[in-house]
Amino acid sequence: MVQQDVQLHTSQPGRAEGHTCGCAHDDADPVLDVRPIPHAIRHGAVFGAFGATPPGSSLVIVAPHDPLPLLAQLRELAPIEVGYLERGPEEWHVRITRLG
């Protein structure tokens, strides 16, 4: 069995203000870099992360190409809003916000 490290970190690209409710949780959008994940399980990894994203929250994925098929599949699961933070040519950074 081959073990690979998967990078999941938080960042706030394009956000000027932090979280201010005082509840001590992190307001940064989680970032999932799918490039090191084997292609055969890549979509499943994103579905798992998306499933843990509550309505109104976002997940940023970093992909080696424009993830249009993946976005179409996510739209079948729940209403989403998509925002491109970076559009190739080497990598795409896409913020996916779960609306419902």
Side-chain angles (χ1 to χ4, degrees):
M1 184 163 109
V2 176
Q3 182 177 350
Q4 290 188 320
D5 292 326
V6 177
Q7 296 179 359
L8 180 63
H9 59 278
T10 58
S11 68
Q12 290 184 306
R15 290 196 181 186
E17 297 181 19
H19 188 72
T20 59
C21 78
C23 65
H25 70 264
D26 188 2
D27 188 39
D29 294 334
V31 177
L32 177 60
D33 186 349
V34 302
R35 295 172 297 170
I37 300 173
H39 191 268
I41 60 171
R42 192 175 287 170
H43 283 207
V46 175
F47 294 150
F50 181 74
T53 303
S57 296
S58 299
L59 168 69
V60 175
I61 62 168
V62 179
H65 59 81
D66 193 351
L68 293 174
L70 173 68
L71 296 174
Q73 290 174 324
L74 289 173
R75 283 187 177 101
E76 292 177 9
L77 298 175
I80 62 172
E81 180 178 279
V82 176
Y84 285 84
L85 305 174
E86 185 175 329
R87 290 182 184 253
E90 299 289 322
E91 57 189 48
W92 277 252
H93 294 235
V94 183
R95 177 179 287 124
I96 304 164
T97 302
R98 186 180 196 136
L99 301 177

